[in-house]
Amino acid sequence: MKLVGKRILIVSPQVWEGLKVSKHHYAEELAQRGNQVFFLEPPAYGNRSVQIKKVDENISVVSYHFFPGKRLRFHFRKIHDFFISLYIKQIIKQLGNLDVVWCFEPNLYTNLKLFGAKMVIYHPVDALSLPHQINVGKSANVIFSVSDSILAQFNSLKTPSFFINHGLSASFLQQLEFKQFEKVRFAYIGNVMINGLDRNSLMKVIENHPEIGFDFYGSYDKNSNDSFINFILRQPNATLLGRKSPKELANLLVDYSGYMMCYSPNIEINGGANSHKLLEYLSFGKVIIANKVFHYEQYRDLIQMSTQFDNSDYVALFDETLLSIDKYNTIELFNKRRALAFENTYANQVDRIENHLNEVML
């Protein structure tokens, strides 16, 4: 099935405005291929009819208010599903016939067939834990996910399922020259207040290496009395630089010796299955020191990765890597890392998805 000239509804758990994530990038890639894309936002709560707003030549944002409120979906699922079915009828009445419904939302829509599309794709990208999130897969023609552990939860269903890695957004598809820097500096991207962050390991690394600069790009609240935030604010070699857009990061992260990812897989929500952050790091070509990430076990030649599920060897791994950093920052490894990142553009992921759709339709 070629995803060209189709009417496609993207069902997203995030709104259109603000930080763009995978749903937005898929919508943009599909629009560039000449599809008419409708981006269905999560409902607000109140009493208002379905609204459609064109935001690009081939992209329209669909929004609505769900007047019964969000408590229904957790406590009275059958009643929630009944009301949702009424809203779906309103949405389809406004949009007309659809060729594809592509759902990234695991919580709101139990039966995706109600959208009336010829092809139904279910594409969860975060860990699932509730039965209704799995049951959505029964109403799909095909399931995609970024994690084998997520896909394993659908083994009891007849719906065919396939792994599709995270995508690399256009901001990180830049031409770069290989450079070595006299001063060693490491960068971290991501929210520094999330539960899965291995704060103890990061603090030890920063304390052990006063000669190195550590820059943290991501959301934080300096008034939160968070012990880790206060620790970084006290360190002369560490800086909190706040949240940046992908375009800003693409420019800022060029001049680093390496990059850190330091979650605890036994606490982090996705259990160390995969991370889109690694693709962004790989696009810069320099050494990455990361916690255990199951999907990238096969790329240990390109990523310095913890071997322990509890991250207990992370500090030692950082120390060892630093001693031979030039060995890990050769032009050969620089090019290999970037090549791996560029294999996973959204254009390439859509091509892979098209191939799987052809398999399903045989």
Side-chain angles (χ1 to χ4, degrees):
M1 181 180 187
K2 294 295 289 183
L3 295 171
V4 177
K6 301 290 192 296
R7 291 171 55 80
I8 301 175
L9 178 70
I10 298 281
V11 183
S12 171
Q14 285 91 24
V15 298
W16 178 258
E17 294 297 331
L19 182 67
K20 290 185 177 181
V21 290
S22 59
K23 300 84 183 171
H24 304 77
H25 297 308
Y26 274 112
E28 290 170 339
E29 176 60 31
L30 292 165
Q32 288 176 15
R33 296 179 182 224
N35 298 287
Q36 189 63 44
V37 178
F38 301 96
F39 188 93
L40 178 59
E41 296 185 313
Y45 295 92
N47 191 7
R48 196 180 75 185
S49 59
V50 175
Q51 308 251 325
I52 302 173
K53 179 184 176 183
K54 195 165 186 175
V55 294
D56 194 78
E57 182 180 357
N58 288 334
I59 302 177
S60 297
V61 173
V62 183
S63 59
Y64 68 99
H65 280 209
F66 185 63
F67 79 87
K70 65 171 66 175
R71 289 186 61 190
L72 276 183
R73 76 179 184 186
F74 299 108
H75 303 290
F76 305 98
R77 189 69 197 186
K78 289 185 178 179
I79 299 173
H80 168 272
D81 289 347
F82 169 74
F83 279 111
I84 279 290
S85 70
L86 300 180
Y87 280 91
I88 290 175
K89 287 180 182 178
Q90 290 184 40
I91 291 167
I92 298 308
K93 186 177 180 180
Q94 294 241 27
L95 296 183
N97 293 334
L98 297 168
D99 296 301
V100 179
V101 61
W102 193 327
C103 182
F104 294 89
E105 165 58 71
N107 291 305
L108 286 172
Y109 307 99
T110 301
N111 185 0
L112 298 176
K113 291 189 183 300
L114 294 177
F115 287 98
K118 300 169 187 174
M119 172 60 67
V120 177
I121 299 170
Y122 184 34
H123 198 152
V125 296
D126 289 311
L128 306 176
S129 59
L130 300 172
H132 74 259
Q133 298 172 324
I134 307 301
N135 288 337
V136 178
K138 294 178 181 178
S139 63
N141 297 107
V142 63
I143 299 167
F144 298 115
S145 187
V146 297
S147 160
D148 289 329
S149 59
I150 292 176
L151 291 175
Q153 294 182 269
F154 297 100
N155 285 346
S156 62
L157 305 187
K158 295 181 180 179
T159 311
S161 60
F162 303 95
F163 175 85
I164 295 290
N165 199 12
H166 289 289
L168 183 69
S169 64
S171 297
F172 296 93
L173 301 178
Q174 52 188 338
Q175 295 291 327
L176 296 179
E177 291 183 13
F178 174 75
K179 295 179 183 177
Q180 291 279 31
F181 301 102
E182 189 173 323
K183 179 172 173 54
V184 177
R185 296 167 65 223
F186 273 78
Y188 167 92
I189 309 173
N191 189 328
V192 292
M193 300 185 71
I194 60 172
N195 290 333
L197 191 66
D198 183 356
R199 292 165 172 78
N200 289 332
S201 292
L202 284 171
M203 288 191 289
K204 288 176 184 175
V205 164
I206 292 168
E207 286 179 327
N208 288 353
H209 298 284
E211 77 284 4
I212 295 177
F214 296 93
D215 289 340
F216 291 81
Y217 295 93
S219 300
Y220 74 96
D221 180 0
K222 65 181 178 182
N223 299 315
S224 67
N225 276 332
D226 180 272
S227 59
F228 182 62
I229 299 300
N230 290 332
F231 168 83
I232 295 178
L233 291 172
R234 293 194 303 269
Q235 305 309 307
N237 62 327
T239 309
L240 290 164
L241 295 168
R243 185 173 175 176
K244 306 293 181 185
S245 71
K247 283 187 177 180
E248 289 174 312
L249 285 173
N251 291 322
L252 291 166
L253 293 178
V254 170
D255 296 329
Y256 285 88
S257 312
Y259 309 94
M260 298 183 296
M261 192 171 86
C262 191
Y263 298 126
S264 293
N266 54 357
I267 300 174
E268 189 257 331
I269 186 171
N270 290 308
N274 200 349
S275 174
H276 76 278
K277 187 183 301 184
L278 284 180
L279 281 181
E280 295 173 352
Y281 284 166
L282 285 164
S283 74
F284 295 101
K286 294 299 181 66
V287 67
I288 302 160
I289 306 175
N291 53 270
K292 190 179 185 70
V293 182
F294 289 98
H295 175 66
Y296 286 94
E297 290 272 16
Q298 59 191 308
Y299 300 110
R300 284 187 169 273
D301 58 327
L302 303 181
I303 300 170
Q304 295 302 104
M305 191 186 303
S306 171
T307 62
Q308 303 301 311
F309 198 63
D310 64 359
N311 231 24
S312 56
D313 60 344
Y314 187 89
V315 175
L317 176 67
F318 193 97
D319 294 345
E320 291 165 11
T321 304
L322 195 62
L323 286 173
S324 305
I325 193 166
D326 288 344
K327 181 179 82 173
Y328 297 111
N329 274 343
T330 64
I331 190 167
E332 180 184 8
L333 290 173
F334 174 85
N335 289 329
K336 283 184 176 180
R337 291 184 186 112
R338 284 171 53 77
L340 176 58
F342 294 165
E343 284 178 16
N344 290 280
T345 63
Y346 281 96
N348 286 341
Q349 306 306 37
V350 172
D351 288 343
R352 292 181 177 109
I353 286 167
E354 284 183 338
N355 290 334
H356 288 310
L357 294 183
N358 288 334
E359 293 178 48
V360 170
M361 295 174 71
L362 288 177

